[in-house]
Amino acid sequence: MEDLIQINPSDQACGAEVNGVDLTKPLADETVAAIRSAWLDHHVLSFPNQPMTDDDLERFTLYFGDFGNDPFFDPIEGRQHIAAIRRDADEKSPLFAENWHSDWSFQAQPPAGTCLLGITIPPVGGDTLFADQHKALDAMPPTMRAQYGGLTAIHSAQMAYAPDGAYGEKDEGRSMAIRPDESARATQTHPLIREHPETGRLGLFSCLGYIIGFEGLPQQDALPLLQQLYAWQSREEFVYRHQWQADMLIMWDNRSVLHRATGGYDGHDRLLHRTTIAACQA
């Protein structure tokens, strides 16, 4: 029942833990509504002690929207919409997703959210960081905000997933099934400051990495603005540090937060299963 759900906010910039719900079973409509409300309020939700199967993960994802398109990951065997976020104990490749980003912001309709289920969790390290981009905008000094107001950002996956990108042809020894492609060079524009499509709250959308420039600005002018923005967006006062447990599900709102991976677990396997929640359709 809905009244059994407990929402316990973190003492950090965003994030909350949800208890009193069993995600291995179908959820009532009122329970889904309560979770969505908490998700929109806190941007990142964690659900501990959820020994979910892949079927459970897919069912939970579909309560919040259609499956999103993951263009540069191969799905796990037997599934179309689940990707393995994997790092083996002896892996020497650079850490995956260690820079701040919002998932797939280079798409015409970027995903609403992401779900990640902890399967094999190392005893140390591996925290995931989230940065609240509503708070980052609200706290921005007026002189800085004036620099970014009205800018349209140019997004692209080229620096990550093109054949010559970070996860391209020279990226060897990686356990994750990443598939670089020439399509990563495509570009897509979005307002840098935009309304959240469900709450209407203004926030900053994405950052340096997937944003490669601004419409109407020469690159020599855009790059300093992007570097300044990146430093601001990830200030400590906007950040929530999530510590993982096995059988823990987290879901985050890509429209509200940036996120990044951290290491510190060399010598240990790490495996999570991921789904993507597609953008809300008007």
Side-chain angles (χ1 to χ4, degrees):
M1 295 293 291
E2 178 186 353
D3 59 358
L4 296 179
I5 293 181
Q6 301 165 356
I7 310 295
N8 302 308
S10 75
D11 59 358
Q12 301 176 53
C14 58
E17 184 176 281
V18 182
N19 293 286
V21 60
D22 184 353
L23 303 186
T24 69
K25 299 177 181 178
L27 301 180
D29 290 346
E30 60 268 25
T31 301
V32 174
I35 292 172
R36 179 180 286 279
S37 178
W39 183 45
L40 295 176
D41 286 344
H42 300 287
H43 315 317
V44 185
L45 298 181
S46 63
F47 301 80
N49 304 313
Q50 303 288 342
M52 299 168 71
T53 66
D54 289 332
D55 285 342
D56 297 332
L57 176 58
E58 289 186 338
R59 181 182 62 246
F60 179 82
T61 304
L62 289 173
Y63 288 133
F64 301 95
D66 294 334
F67 290 118
N69 174 35
D70 293 320
F72 303 112
F73 294 160
D74 281 328
I76 63 173
E77 186 176 355
R79 301 283 168 167
Q80 295 183 9
H81 304 292
I82 297 178
I85 307 301
R86 172 183 169 186
R87 188 173 180 85
D88 292 345
D90 59 354
E91 191 164 323
K92 303 301 181 185
S93 61
L95 187 68
F96 175 72
E98 62 182 335
N99 295 315
W100 290 105
H101 63 286
S102 177
D103 285 336
W104 308 149
S105 71
F106 49 82
Q107 293 181 333
Q109 293 186 310
T114 304
C115 297
L116 204 55
L117 177 64
I119 297 173
T120 303
I121 301 300
V124 293
D127 294 351
T128 303
L129 307 185
F130 298 90
D132 186 329
Q133 296 306 288
H134 300 297
K135 287 187 174 179
L137 179 62
D138 290 346
M140 187 176 281
T143 53
M144 182 185 292
R145 183 161 175 163
Q147 293 179 288
Y148 297 102
L151 288 181
T152 297
I154 304 168
H155 298 243
S156 176
Q158 62 190 36
M159 289 192 285
Y161 297 107
D164 57 352
Y167 305 117
E169 295 168 351
K170 295 182 179 180
D171 185 43
E172 298 179 347
R174 187 175 296 280
S175 54
M176 271 188 67
I178 299 176
R179 52 181 188 213
D181 190 81
E182 285 291 343
S183 64
R185 301 191 195 282
T187 60
Q188 177 66 50
T189 59
H190 299 290
L192 177 65
I193 299 173
R194 66 174 200 168
E195 289 187 355
H196 190 288
E198 292 189 69
T199 68
R201 187 175 177 187
L202 288 175
L204 298 164
F205 181 61
S206 199
C207 64
L208 180 66
Y210 284 156
I211 296 179
I212 61 171
F214 295 111
E215 278 194 338
L217 276 186
Q219 195 64 11
Q220 65 265 27
D221 296 331
L223 186 56
L225 285 177
L226 283 168
Q227 292 171 329
Q228 174 184 254
L229 180 67
Y230 190 80
W232 177 264
Q233 289 173 291
S234 57
R235 288 167 63 101
E236 184 176 355
E237 60 263 37
F238 310 140
V239 172
Y240 161 61
R241 176 179 286 269
H242 177 76
Q243 295 182 320
W244 282 93
Q245 303 168 15
D247 292 335
M248 172 179 276
L249 177 79
I250 68 169
M251 64 184 302
W252 66 84
D253 189 335
N254 277 297
R255 304 159 299 185
S256 294
V257 296
L258 303 175
H259 64 283
R260 63 177 289 257
T262 67
Y265 53 92
D266 288 350
H268 299 279
D269 291 334
R270 187 172 185 265
L271 176 65
L272 305 99
H273 279 185
R274 164 186 158 143
T275 57
T276 302
I277 305 168
C280 297
Q281 299 299 313

